[in-house]
Amino acid sequence: MTLREIWPLFGLRLLSPRLELRYPSDRDLGGLAQAAAAGIHDPAVMPFEIPWTDAPAPELPRNALQFWWGLRSGWKPTDWTLTLAVLEEGRLVGVQDLQAKEFGVTRQVQTGSWLTRSAQGRGIGTEMRAAVLHLAFEGLGARRAVSAAFEDNPASLGVSRVLGYVENGDAVQSRRGKPVRRINLLLERAAWEGHRRGDIRLEGLTPCLPLFGLPG
């Protein structure tokens, strides 16, 4: 058996006009770890709920690899996080995550992402989120998608609003020892239908369905 037959996620690809999102090989993960270590946001701010980018530069790539490998080894059809490498013209520019628990029952997913600084501000964040939402709603039959961002992260909030999310409550969290408001966002299937794109293709999904807790 080939590696793809054993772990069919290696054949999963999402294709949009500018981007390819694919389940990453170890080589991809190495490139992403180096990109993260080079800096993906202003060090004076922290856009992530878990401040993983605060790790010392020599440790950050190793920490990232261990995290991604842990997601792969811990994958269960009832509890999974799909990490997709994002490529523009063959160049790694970021990560788009999709995660769920008991998806076969809840039909709800959550998204998260990051981009290299050189790829920010060009609409790539919106396009890669649209691609993973197409996977969720069209490919997997999701009914709801949720996300969240701190109130001082206008880029992430802007992507969500453009794609049809609405605010769905908030919470106050501690970030670097100070309180910050986190805005929760919700995208219902009907709202996604009103914003869906017709130029996104899914490849290699069918053999992956049991891994997502769905009938093959």
Side-chain angles (χ1 to χ4, degrees), residues 33-172:
Q34 293 179 44
I40 55 178
H41 61 80
D42 183 343
V45 301
M46 174 47 65
F48 305 120
E49 291 191 34
I50 300 174
W52 59 278
T53 49
D54 277 348
E59 297 176 15
L60 197 152
R62 186 184 307 114
N63 292 348
L65 281 177
Q66 286 183 298
F67 175 74
W68 289 321
W69 284 334
L71 293 179
R72 184 184 294 170
S73 66
W75 184 293
K76 299 176 183 177
T78 56
D79 187 355
W80 48 263
T81 298
L82 175 69
T83 292
L84 295 169
V86 180
L87 296 91
E88 180 190 31
E89 297 181 347
R91 182 173 60 92
L92 291 164
V93 295
V95 163
Q96 177 67 63
D97 285 345
L98 185 73
Q99 66 182 86
K101 292 185 178 181
E102 299 287 355
F103 178 75
V105 177
T106 68
R107 297 299 173 125
Q108 176 173 293
V109 296
Q110 181 172 347
T111 61
S113 64
W114 58 262
L115 278 171
T116 59
R117 297 186 78 170
S118 63
Q120 295 170 17
R122 298 194 282 113
I124 292 176
T126 301
E127 189 160 330
M128 66 198 227
R129 179 97 68 90
V132 84
L133 289 173
H134 192 84
L135 169 64
F137 286 105
E138 177 66 20
L140 302 178
R143 299 191 188 101
R144 294 160 51 102
V146 297
S147 187
F150 293 129
E151 63 180 350
D152 58 1
N153 188 348
S156 179
L157 292 170
V159 167
S160 296
R161 288 167 180 150
V162 164
L163 293 174
Y165 289 76
V166 295
E167 290 193 21
N168 190 38
D170 64 2
V172 175

